[in-house]
Amino acid sequence: MKIIHFFTITIMSLTTTINAQQKLNPEIEKKIDALMSKMTLEEKVGQMNQYNGFWDVTGPAPVGGTAEQKYENIKKGLVGSMLTVRGVAEVKAVQKIAVEQTRLGIPLIIGFDVIHGYKTLSPIPLAEAASWDMKAIEKSAETAASEAAASGINWTFGPMMDISKDARWGRVMEGAGEDPYLGGKVAAARVRGFQGDNTFKSPLRIAATAKHFAAYGFVESALEYNAAEISTNTLYNQVLPPFKSAVDAGLRSVMTSFNTVNGIPASGDQYLLRDVLKNKWGFSGFVISDWASIREMIPWGFSKDENAAAKSAVEAGTDMDMEGGIYFPYLIDLVKQGKVKQEYLDDAVRRILRVKYELGLFDDPYRFLNEKREKEVVGSKANREAVLDIAKKSIVLLKNEKSLLPLKKSGQKIAVLGSLAESKNSPLGSWRIAADNNTAVSVLEGLQQYKGNSLNYVKGLELTKVEPTFLTEVEYNTTDRSGFEAAKKAAREADVVVMVLGEHGFSSGEARSRTNIDLPGLQQEFLEEIYNVNSNIVLVLNNGRPLTIPWAAEHIPAILEAWHLGTETGNAVAQVLYGDYNPSGKLPMSFPRNVGQIPISYNHYSTGRFTNKDNNVFWSHYSDVDKTPLYPFGFGLSYTTFEYSNLRINKKSFTKGEKIIVSVDLKNTGKVKGKEVAQLYLHDEFSSVIKPVKELKGFELVELKPGESKSINFTLSDYEMGFYNSQYEFVIEPGTFKVMVGGSSDTILSQNIELF
Ligand code: BGC
């Protein structure tokens, strides 16, 4: 068992921190001044207008017009950006019009949803967060950026950094899970991966977008495109920190969200966009709306017509209108009539031009458009290796009894069951517009590379009625059990049964909220029937969100969380199943026991009746199910074991600004080499605003050989010790903090050292 230790730290003084502003390049600013002095009002509004590349992706294309009309508008200098146009040839065609046929020749900035890879796919972002490996996550974003950039893309609509405690919400697959600290680290790593050193000297780096600003992960009932009603405490301390980390890492753009935040549609939220993001955080890049989200302020009942929507959004600080047909043309008259101040428009245009200059598009509008580079980079061997690396690191071992894993390399009869085992499509996950269908290595193909065992694949159950797409609803098979008997026969004859079950890759992502997150379709029934003939089951889960699997957790001896791992899925899963890679992932999101526990997270608050000390019914609990999650945040096993000991601290009391060093010894007590994510949690015992029972404030990924020990040092600075109060001031309050260290957020506390 992993042991968690805790003890206390006392902080003596109160402080606030200062927000760094993003720095401007004076030369670029001068060039922008010169260019803007030549621009007409129409051309300025044109820069704020983004068209989709002639394809309805995730929503209706309201008034962008036909492809011909869009081309005409590009020629007139009335378009600043395109999205979803991709590939050197296609991008060159539109860029040439902007550069060579418009009056001022201002290049387009080309955006695209590079969410977990471009053509070569990494694991879905939630899975990557399970690696807790910031270098690997950065490398994955870098790989994605290189392929996208080589295909003519300048700017990605990622990383998504919406914190969410609601596994019903389909979009949790795009983010880093439930925790703001881990989310902030992942956000910064992804921004570094996409943008590199922020100079964009390399033509293989692209501008990143933090999305969705803000609180989209808190939409009511997990219903898509819905309202978010959240406290300032949650907004400031949980939702905003990853965005702030991304801005501090030099992020160049931010996307608004579809939801309202406490009654205001995010694309018209002046407080969030102008006051916090642009003024307080000093963000110098630009804000893009989500798909037609400015227009959607009308049906929200916030803006009475297009003019009102345009005015609210530009004043709030939304700089570019994605496929909404609102800024162009409505802003033109609004400014002419003096209803919208020119300065709002100028601020927006300046920001957009700034990023275009920074990307080098004015120096060479074709710098991302090199056919030879496109051929060399997209789908390269190096990129496949990079995504395999992160895929292995993203897998989480949830249970391993009866020594089923790792599988023995010879002499075993293995039955492989479930249509997901052979799927080359589902493992690619959602959000993979540029990738070709059916290009993943399937789990079956991965297993087939290990020749020492006899492998018998029987589908047994078809997961879906038809193969779903990004644009269709997933229809699970709920009637056809015709394969069960053959599967049972194979299971009976096998030593070990590997069952690949879960959700189809298109069951999560945008507009894929579910109210039931059990194994969908007939899979639970299938699992139980197989269990009845052979209980030596290794359950390999494929899913884009936490699932509720209490029966499996109780009965199935080995469970591997393999998410949707992208192009190299089968190789990654096989290497972990056979022990060639020792699993090291830890859950970035709690797995609930049932859907009624949602929202659920490890960093919840205490209550006045948190424990049942009076042993009566009147305490904070559920009558029908334990209140803890099935698998907590931070949890994940290994083929080896680790022991924590000797927790210590460099001093007894601290004042503002002093670094606190917490150290612990970690030992690999098992028989094989392995990696462990040592996690540090803090609890501020008393504060002016109540604090969660524990909050992640440090982690370290350590590799140890059998028997090897290492001393790990965590450094706690003001950032870790402070929080945002109800005025959105960052404060550090004096008092006592409990420090907990262990291999999971829930690991049993075994030691309590009071320092004061
Ligand atoms: C999504 C965004 C995405 C945009 C462009 C919207 O529907 O919410 O996350 O970037 O479409 O594809």
Side-chain angles (χ1 to χ4, degrees):
M1 162 166 330
K2 299 182 184 92
I3 299 172
I4 201 163
H5 303 260
F6 70 88
F7 62 91
T8 55
I9 298 170
T10 299
I11 291 281
M12 311 299 284
S13 73
L14 179 92
T15 186
T16 57
T17 55
I18 294 137
N19 291 294
Q21 305 274 307
Q22 288 186 336
K23 290 205 177 63
L24 300 181
N25 174 337
E27 271 176 40
I28 289 184
E29 297 306 304
K30 261 193 239 144
K31 288 181 185 166
I32 299 173
D33 289 338
L35 179 57
M36 283 181 64
S37 69
K38 292 187 216 146
M39 291 171 78
T40 63
L41 176 59
E42 286 74 10
E43 283 163 340
K44 285 184 177 172
V45 172
Q47 285 304 305
M48 300 164 72
N49 181 29
Q50 185 190 53
Y51 280 151
N52 178 48
F54 322 125
W55 175 52
D56 290 1
V57 193
T58 54
V63 285
T66 61
E68 290 70 31
Q69 285 161 348
K70 288 181 179 179
Y71 272 122
E72 280 312 305
N73 284 342
I74 300 175
K75 265 188 223 163
K76 291 182 195 148
L78 299 174
V79 184
S81 171
M82 301 281 295
L83 79 145
T84 333
V85 180
R86 64 179 185 278
V88 167
E90 208 174 294
V91 174
K92 203 180 259 174
V94 288
Q95 191 66 293
K96 258 174 119 54
I97 304 173
V99 174
E100 292 169 27
Q101 298 185 37
T102 64
R103 195 178 74 89
L104 293 171
I106 301 175
L108 298 166
I109 177 168
I110 306 290
F112 195 82
D113 288 285
V114 187
I115 306 299
H116 56 111
Y118 181 74
K119 199 154 237 141
T120 309
L121 296 178
S122 297
I124 58 168
L126 183 66
E128 284 195 352
S131 74
W132 296 57
D133 185 332
M134 298 308 120
K135 284 208 178 82
I137 290 175
E138 182 178 334
K139 175 74 190 160
S140 164
E142 183 188 335
T143 304
S146 72
E147 289 203 354
S151 304
I153 311 297
N154 322 132
W155 165 38
T156 170
F157 305 131
M160 189 273 222
M161 49 191 74
D162 295 311
I163 297 300
S164 182
K165 299 156 192 267
D166 197 330
R168 295 171 302 175
W169 191 48
R171 302 200 79 166
V172 298
M173 59 85 44
E174 295 173 55
E178 72 189 33
D179 181 66
Y181 186 84
L182 177 62
K185 297 281 178 195
V186 171
R190 290 196 169 128
V191 171
R192 284 195 304 274
F194 287 129
Q195 297 193 167
D197 60 5
N198 300 330
T199 63
F200 302 106
K201 284 196 180 114
S202 158
L204 294 177
R205 302 291 188 149
I206 55 180
T209 304
K211 72 185 189 185
H212 303 84
F213 202 63
Y216 195 11
F218 285 78
V219 280
E220 203 167 82
S221 314
L223 198 55
E224 192 58 288
Y225 314 126
N226 205 358
E229 295 286 317
I230 65 169
S231 70
T232 47
N233 194 7
T234 303
L235 183 68
Y236 296 155
N237 289 300
Q238 306 213 18
V239 169
L240 297 183
F243 289 94
K244 174 79 168 65
S245 301
V247 170
D248 292 344
L251 172 85
R252 299 325 288 136
S253 103
V254 168
M255 185 185 289
T256 65
S257 51
F258 287 124
N259 54 286
T260 55
V261 185
N262 299 331
I264 313 286
S267 303
D269 195 325
Q270 190 155 5
Y271 171 70
L272 280 177
L273 297 172
R274 205 170 284 286
D275 299 353
V276 174
L277 175 70
K278 292 185 173 176
N279 293 339
K280 202 163 188 154
W281 295 354
F283 171 65
S284 66
F286 69 96
V287 175
I288 170 93
S289 78
D290 202 345
W291 183 284
S293 64
I294 301 179
R295 179 170 286 275
E296 288 182 6
M297 298 201 300
I298 304 170
W300 266 117
F302 182 76
S303 307
K304 76 174 187 316
D305 55 22
E306 283 88 346
N307 282 314
K311 180 173 161 61
S312 296
V314 75
E315 288 179 355
T318 301
D319 303 314
M320 190 182 273
D321 176 10
M322 180 191 286
E323 189 65 27
I326 292 284
Y327 281 175
F328 176 76
Y330 297 95
L331 269 184
I332 298 170
D333 280 347
L334 286 170
V335 174
K336 276 187 188 153
Q337 292 162 13
K339 290 183 181 153
V340 165
K341 285 193 205 136
Q342 177 82 35
E343 66 194 62
Y344 286 119
L345 204 76
D346 285 347
D347 178 52
V349 175
R350 171 173 290 279
R351 288 166 179 275
I352 294 163
L353 294 176
R354 180 178 295 140
V355 176
K356 290 186 179 184
Y357 274 110
E358 289 169 349
L359 283 167
L361 289 169
F362 281 96
D363 298 331
D364 178 5
Y366 305 113
R367 69 184 289 251
F368 290 87
L369 301 170
N370 177 323
E371 277 91 356
K372 185 166 165 275
R373 190 166 58 220
E374 184 178 33
K375 277 205 193 81
E376 279 165 11
V377 173
V378 179
S380 73
K381 191 163 167 276
N383 290 354
R384 301 266 319 210
E385 279 162 12
V387 301
L388 173 59
D389 180 65
I390 180 82
K392 290 188 282 197
K393 292 173 173 168
S394 303
I395 294 173
V396 185
L397 180 64
L398 294 177
K399 189 174 174 190
N400 191 16
E401 287 174 0
K402 295 168 85 176
S403 306
L404 280 191
L405 290 177
L407 297 172
K408 293 180 189 61
K409 288 204 171 146
S410 62
Q412 281 192 317
K413 279 197 218 148
I414 299 182
V416 181
L417 308 180
S419 63
L420 282 176
E422 66 172 7
S423 179
K424 294 173 69 62
N425 211 28
S426 170
L428 298 174
S430 195
W431 279 116
R432 32 106 159 183
I433 298 166
D436 299 320
N437 284 331
N438 295 306
T439 47
V441 177
S442 71
V443 172
L444 187 60
E445 287 169 334
L447 288 172
Q448 280 164 344
Q449 290 169 45
Y450 288 80
K451 311 273 185 212
N453 289 322
S454 93
L455 204 67
N456 182 16
Y457 171 63
V458 175
K459 189 186 294 182
L461 175 66
E462 195 68 72
L463 183 65
T464 58
K465 289 185 190 155
V466 285
E467 187 59 28
T469 73
F470 186 51
L471 303 176
T472 59
E473 218 58 87
V474 179
E475 287 183 76
Y476 285 101
N477 166 22
T478 51
T479 50
D480 181 5
R481 299 173 173 80
S482 58
F484 280 22
E485 283 314 312
K488 279 201 256 182
K489 181 168 178 292
R492 237 180 250 117
E493 290 163 2
D495 299 314
V496 180
V497 185
V498 175
M499 295 185 76
V500 188
L501 304 179
E503 293 180 304
H504 190 278
F506 285 124
S507 254
S508 53
E510 185 174 348
R512 302 303 202 278
S513 294
R514 294 172 61 205
T515 60
N516 176 346
I517 54 169
D518 297 347
L519 289 170
L522 295 174
Q523 294 181 101
Q524 181 63 33
E525 193 181 319
F526 184 44
L527 182 61
E528 291 185 31
E529 292 227 2
I530 299 299
Y531 179 81
N532 287 338
V533 300
N534 186 347
S535 62
N536 284 342
I537 295 175
V538 175
L539 174 59
V540 176
L541 288 173
N542 286 183
N543 41 302
R545 54 154 70 76
L547 296 177
T548 45
I549 47 160
W551 186 90
E554 191 182 338
H555 296 90
I556 301 300
I559 306 177
L560 197 69
E561 175 51 75
W563 317 101
H564 298 120
L565 294 174
T567 307
E568 288 287 331
T569 290
N571 289 329
V573 171
Q575 287 184 28
V576 168
L577 287 176
Y578 275 104
D580 284 341
Y581 185 83
N582 186 354
S584 50
K586 303 271 187 179
L587 294 178
M589 213 175 160
S590 310
F591 274 45
R593 293 173 191 276
N594 66 30
V595 86
Q597 287 186 315
I598 294 175
I600 186 167
S601 66
Y602 83 95
N603 54 356
H604 56 78
Y605 298 104
S606 184
T607 80
R609 298 186 190 185
F610 186 62
T611 48
N612 192 9
K613 63 177 181 327
D614 298 328
N615 213 17
N616 66 29
V617 76
F618 298 100
W619 72 292
S620 178
H621 72 298
Y622 295 111
S623 297
D624 56 352
V625 76
D626 197 292
K627 67 176 177 176
T628 58
L630 186 62
Y631 294 114
F633 174 85
F635 174 78
L637 303 171
S638 162
Y639 295 149
T640 188
T641 46
F642 297 98
E643 200 177 273
Y644 291 80
S645 64
N646 192 21
L647 187 70
R648 54 207 187 275
I649 193 158
N650 61 328
K651 268 178 73 182
K652 286 190 173 179
S653 66
F654 298 87
T655 52
K656 177 201 143 203
E658 271 192 284
K659 294 261 183 281
I660 301 169
I661 316 281
V662 177
S663 308
V664 72
D665 295 339
L666 179 65
K667 183 173 183 192
N668 180 343
T669 48
K671 295 197 174 62
V672 288
K673 184 176 80 174
K675 282 186 197 155
E676 167 73 339
V677 182
Q679 301 157 43
L680 181 146
Y681 295 87
L682 268 190
H683 175 58
D684 182 352
E685 296 209 316
F686 301 97
S687 47
S688 58
V689 173
I690 58 156
K691 304 298 284 297
V693 291
K694 61 184 73 153
E695 295 174 280
L696 181 75
K697 294 292 178 182
F699 60 89
E700 188 86 26
L701 181 64
V702 191
E703 184 167 55
L704 295 173
K705 294 190 205 89
E708 193 187 359
S709 294
K710 247 184 208 161
S711 169
I712 302 166
N713 297 325
F714 300 95
T715 303
L716 302 175
S717 58
D718 288 359
Y719 176 69
E720 281 80 21
M721 304 309 288
F723 68 101
Y724 290 94
N725 66 16
S726 56
Q727 305 306 307
Y728 200 25
E729 289 157 349
F730 190 79
V731 295
I732 299 170
E733 292 184 350
T736 302
F737 294 73
K738 192 199 285 179
V739 181
M740 295 157 268
V741 176
S744 166
S745 67
D746 82 324
T747 319
I748 317 281
L749 305 177
S750 69
Q751 206 177 326
N752 186 359
I753 309 166
E754 290 293 336
L755 287 187
F756 300 103

